[in-house]
Structure formats: structure tokens, C-alpha cells
Amino acid sequence: MEQVNGDTLAAARKVVAVHINYPSRAAQRGRTPAQPSYFLKPSSSLALSGSPVERPAGCELLGYEGEIALIIGKAARRVSIEDAWSHVAAVTASNDLGVYDLRWADKGSNLRSKGGDGFTPVGPALLPAGDVDPSKLRIRTWHNGELVQDDTTGDLLFPFARLVADLSQLLTLEEGDLILTGTPAGASVAKPGDVLEVEVETIDGSLSTGRLVTTVEEGTTTFADFGAQPKVDDLQREEAYGSREAAGLAPVAEQAQAPAAAAPALSPELKAKLESVATATLSSQLRKRGLNNVSIDGLQGTRPDRRVVGLARTLRYVPNREDLFKIHGGGFNAQKRAIDSVNEGEILVMEARGEKGTGTVGDILALRAQVRGAAAIITDGGVRDYTAVAGLDMPTWFANPHPAVLGRRHIPWDTDITIACGGATVQPGDIIVADSDGVLVIPPAIAEELVEDCIQQEKEEAFIFEMVKQGNSVDGLYPMNKEWQAKYKAWEGQAND
């Protein structure tokens, strides 16, 4: 098998890297891109297996990211997705190294932070593109002998052929160019003396690049004072290590010196209060504040016995157009990204334009949302596999059952944006209250004040109910005039004694 050598590195006029491409990494970062985004690394950053890499003097956070590298075999300019793979000569292992200490100075270019000499080791062997299925590759990374990254290319956000085709729309990919295709979850930080290894192989184990080995050394030459100096903060440590816990940082809530943060939009206390008041009462108080268009209308629920309160996550479908569906409808599309990133207690709200002629979610994806802890799914479109979806503990509000897949009428387009659902505008982070009486959208900024007024209103209505039960006329009682208001205050005082 051909080995990566100096000629391989010399042939690379440019190195293009993808930001986020693995669902596991997207989940770790808490953001899932709708389209691929890229940055350039200089060809001088390339290095062979066995070469050391220097953590620059004064830097703390040398991050590593095991990746699969594509090597272009023939020039590609405005190629189709179907033709793109024929322009790839081989794949190999790579390590997208960089120092988070200099990210502040890059403004998104990654030139300083990821462009250093030796920051892109590749190899040791080349796997011919014609001998592998790009959707059936495995990438693994070891840090001092411990396996820290292990993933496959079966559910990439952007399959390799799409990356090649996408890049070729604007620039010519030349023979020898490299494309780094993203890293899975598990990337972290290495220190001087550490050994990093990356291997790419076919899932069946029949072909392997062997392990790409890089040893970290401590730099001894400090940065000159006329350029950007290394500096880090806890945010960069969290990004570099993958989590606050991995970075050895206390949770945000435990930081004694942290600036006061805004209260969560839906604290447990607020959630409990919203659960305690009727949807009709909430609607009444919303109307008093001039909010008359905050109900999601025309839907039915699979669990009329259930009442849910949660924060909105959003998903938008656009009308199907066959050429666009080929690009946006397959793979780990926006629908699957939304389902796979919904968090505990959140409610996924879908904009389907009220289109009833196809499904927008089925049993498998609904089950996935339930497993992730979603409080509910709300769609103004159809539901497939109705019996199975209705059998889930997690309720779904929907327009109607329909057996067709979404590709009949919809393209899953974007997530976590402002959408329209059932005649109401919904933004990510809005509070959703849903039960058999209906579905309401509550702006989080007014939720605390709103629910307190609802609690007061329901106390008054309990008094009115009791007075009517005792035989009193509703005239002057509902709503209460001054005489009845005085009687209510006395009744309230007795109730509180």
C-alpha cells in the first residue's frame, strides 16, 4: 500500500478543513450547521507520521482532532455530487492540531491557531478512493494509548462527495489538495510528552492507514512582542477539552466569582406554576396584554390526558423541490438534526405550513425524541405511523395522520430559527404550554408576571364559582363589582388564616 511521503505533502497546494461534520461533535458543541463551513490551513502545516509537533512557548491549549483526509486526484471545478468522488484519489488519517490560545486573534480564520508548522500531520498509508466506500469508514484517535475518539462516516452531516462538490462550486480543487472532513466527539488537549495516534480503516477492517503518530514537544521560542500573544479563558478551555468537566472547571452555577447570570427562561419554580394554572387562564391573561395571536391552532394531541410545559426548539420545512431535496433531504438532514439535538424537557415545534398531505415525523424519530427527553413534538403537518406515535409516553400535537414520507411535500430546511406553526409565530426559547385545551406560545420575558396574575385570577374564579354554587346571581359577581370585591377580600383573608 502506498505511503504518504514528502512528494504527497509537496503536491498539496492547499489544505481545506471542515468545521463541524459529525453528529456526535455537533451534539457536543450544541450547534448543528445547516450547511458546511470551511477554513484554510497552509500547506506548510503538513507533516509526516512520526514527526513531532511543538506546543508554542507560552501556550496552554494544544488541541487535537483526529480526522479523515481526502486527497484530490484530478482537478474539480463545478462538479456534481454524483461525480465528485471520482475526483478523489485517496483517503488517509490526519490530525487537525491547533492552539486555542490564539483563537481570539483569528476572527474565525484559524490562521494563527491552526496554521503552525506541523499542525496537520497526515498518513502513514493511503487508501485508494476506488477501494473504499466513503460512507463505511472508521476513524479512531488514541491519546497516550487511550482510545478517545471512535466514530464512523455512516451518518455524517455532509458526506464526502458533497464537500468536494460544494467546494468546487467556487474554487478549483487541484491535484494533491487535501480536505480535512471534520472530527467526531472526543477531541481534547495534549501536553508536551504526550503521544497522539490516529487511524482510518474500513468498517470491515480489510484496509487501514495504520496509525498516524505525533509526539508533542514544548516550544522554547517565545512570541515576539509585535504580534498577538497567547491568552486563554475558561470558555476556550471548555471548547478545547470538550466540556467544563473535562477541563477541570466547576459548573457555571458553582462559580463563586461568576457574574450574575440571567435566570433561566424556565426555572423549575416557574414551570411548576405554569403547570398549575389552566390554559384558558393563561390565554385570558395573554389577551389582557394585547397578545391575541399566540395560540397554535387546528391540532390534535396523542395524549389528551397529558399537559406539558417546555422551551421551544424549532424546525422549518419548505415546499418540496426535487433538486433541492437531493441536497437537503437525505443523510443527517435538518429534521434528523433537530430530533437528535432536542434536550430534556424541550418541545420540538415544526413549521409544516399546515400541509396535511404528508407526514412530518414518524415512529422512529418520535421515539428518538422521547429517548432524548423531549417533552413533546408539535407539528402543523401530518404524522406517519400514527398508532405507534400515539402509543409513546411523549405526546405529539399534529394536524392529521398521513402515511406518506415528508419528501412528498416537504424539504427539512433549517433548525432553531423563528418559524410559523398553526398560525402562531414561535421562536427558539419561547415557553410552550400544551394540553387538551390547546397550545400556547408564551414570550419568556413576561412569563413570571403572567403566571402570578393567572394564579390570582384563578383564586378569584374559585370564589366566584363557590358563590354561584351557593345560589348567587352572576350579575355583579362575574366580573366582580366593588361590593363583591370587598366580599372576596374577606373570603381570601379567611382562606389564608
Side-chain angles (χ1 to χ4, degrees):
M1 188 174 296
E2 185 178 352
Q3 301 291 298
V4 175
N5 55 35
D7 291 340
T8 310
L9 306 190
R13 297 183 63 179
K14 53 185 171 291
V15 180
V16 184
V18 180
H19 281 106
I20 294 179
N21 197 14
Y22 285 80
S24 61
R25 180 71 161 179
Q28 186 182 43
R29 288 294 200 213
R31 55 183 184 271
T32 303
Q35 300 291 341
S37 61
Y38 312 94
F39 59 94
L40 285 169
K41 299 189 76 170
S43 58
S44 55
S45 70
L46 291 167
L48 297 172
S49 180
S51 302
V53 67
E54 180 182 285
R55 186 183 74 175
C59 289
E60 173 188 335
L61 303 174
L62 176 67
Y64 61 83
E65 300 175 3
E67 307 206 11
I68 297 173
L70 312 182
I71 300 178
I72 299 299
K74 61 179 179 179
R77 177 71 166 120
R78 296 196 177 102
V79 300
S80 67
I81 292 177
E82 293 74 17
D83 183 50
W85 190 247
S86 68
H87 291 261
V88 179
V91 301
T92 192
S94 181
N95 197 336
D96 182 15
L97 297 160
V99 281
Y100 283 73
D101 312 61
L102 293 173
R103 289 179 81 191
W104 70 271
D106 273 342
K107 297 190 182 299
S109 74
N110 287 337
L111 179 61
R112 292 180 179 87
S113 60
K114 285 184 174 268
D117 288 354
F119 278 20
T120 316
V122 292
L126 298 170
L127 305 184
D131 293 347
V132 302
D133 181 338
S135 68
K136 295 182 179 179
L137 294 173
R138 185 183 188 190
I139 174 80
R140 289 184 293 175
T141 303
W142 292 264
H143 184 181
N144 292 332
E146 178 184 357
L147 182 65
V148 291
Q149 291 184 290
D150 188 354
D151 213 331
T152 69
T153 57
D155 61 351
L156 294 176
L157 303 180
F158 314 110
F160 294 161
R162 180 174 171 183
L163 298 178
V164 174
D166 184 36
L167 286 166
S168 77
Q169 302 311 297
L170 185 63
L171 55 89
T172 299
L173 294 170
E174 301 165 299
E175 182 179 355
D177 286 350
L178 273 75
I179 302 174
L180 308 188
T181 57
T183 194
S188 189
V189 172
K191 297 181 172 69
D194 288 355
V195 177
L196 304 169
E197 299 170 282
V198 183
E199 181 181 19
V200 175
E201 63 179 355
T202 55
I203 289 178
D204 63 10
S206 60
L207 293 173
S208 170
T209 62
R211 294 196 186 185
L212 168 69
V213 180
T214 306
T215 302
V216 181
E217 297 180 346
E218 181 69 270
T220 57
T221 304
T222 58
F223 285 94
D225 59 10
F226 49 76
Q229 302 298 305
K231 64 179 181 180
V232 296
D233 54 23
D234 284 353
L235 174 60
Q236 293 306 321
R237 293 185 179 95
E238 179 180 354
E239 290 270 305
Y241 281 94
S243 69
R244 296 187 64 83
E245 181 181 10
L249 302 171
V252 173
E254 296 178 11
Q255 296 180 82
Q257 303 302 319
L266 188 59
S267 66
E269 295 77 16
L270 176 57
K271 184 173 183 288
K273 289 179 181 178
L274 288 167
E275 290 171 338
S276 73
V277 296
T279 304
T281 309
L282 288 165
S283 179
S284 173
Q285 288 295 332
L286 286 163
R287 284 199 306 274
K288 286 182 179 180
R289 290 163 171 78
L291 293 168
N292 296 305
N293 299 293
V294 288
S295 63
I296 298 177
D297 297 333
L299 307 185
Q300 56 185 304
T302 60
R303 294 292 305 272
D305 59 316
R306 292 287 302 279
R307 176 181 175 86
V308 298
V309 177
L311 294 180
R313 295 285 299 278
T314 60
L315 167 63
R316 180 187 176 209
Y317 295 107
V318 298
N320 187 30
R321 205 179 89 184
E322 288 74 10
D323 61 322
L324 294 176
F325 191 88
K326 289 180 181 179
I327 300 172
H328 298 276
F332 200 65
N333 58 34
Q335 178 201 44
K336 293 178 181 177
R337 296 198 303 271
I339 293 287
D340 217 49
S341 63
V342 68
N343 296 313
E344 184 80 25
E346 293 178 337
I347 296 175
L348 180 58
V349 185
M350 301 179 178
E351 174 186 340
R353 312 176 312 284
E355 171 58 63
K356 298 181 179 181
T358 192
T360 56
V361 68
D363 58 344
I364 292 176
L365 293 184
L367 176 61
R368 175 59 176 160
Q370 176 176 289
V371 169
R372 286 194 58 83
I377 291 176
I378 298 171
T379 173
D380 61 356
V383 163
R384 295 181 70 218
D385 312 306
Y386 169 73
T387 301
V389 172
L392 296 177
D393 185 57
M394 178 197 70
T396 296
W397 277 262
F398 63 103
N400 60 285
H402 200 284
V405 297
L406 62 89
R408 182 169 184 255
R409 299 282 174 85
H410 298 305
I411 305 172
W413 196 256
D414 205 355
T415 62
D416 294 319
I417 58 171
T418 300
I419 63 168
C421 181
T425 297
V426 183
Q427 294 191 301
D430 281 343
I431 297 173
I432 305 294
V433 178
D435 61 13
S436 57
D437 278 346
V439 182
L440 292 176
V441 182
I442 300 175
I446 67 167
E448 289 280 2
E449 171 195 324
L450 180 81
V451 76
E452 292 299 334
D453 287 349
C454 286
I455 292 170
Q456 181 60 34
Q457 179 180 327
E458 292 197 343
K459 286 181 181 178
E460 294 174 1
E461 289 177 349
F463 168 74
I464 294 169
F465 185 87
E466 182 63 28
M467 294 304 102
V468 172
K469 186 177 178 181
Q470 293 176 14
N472 291 283
S473 169
V474 295
D475 184 30
L477 173 60
Y478 187 50
M480 290 186 288
N481 57 25
K482 289 183 178 179
E483 180 182 351
W484 276 112
Q485 286 175 359
K487 292 179 179 179
Y488 165 72
K489 290 187 181 299
W491 176 86
E492 185 182 29
Q494 292 174 357
N496 292 333
D497 287 344

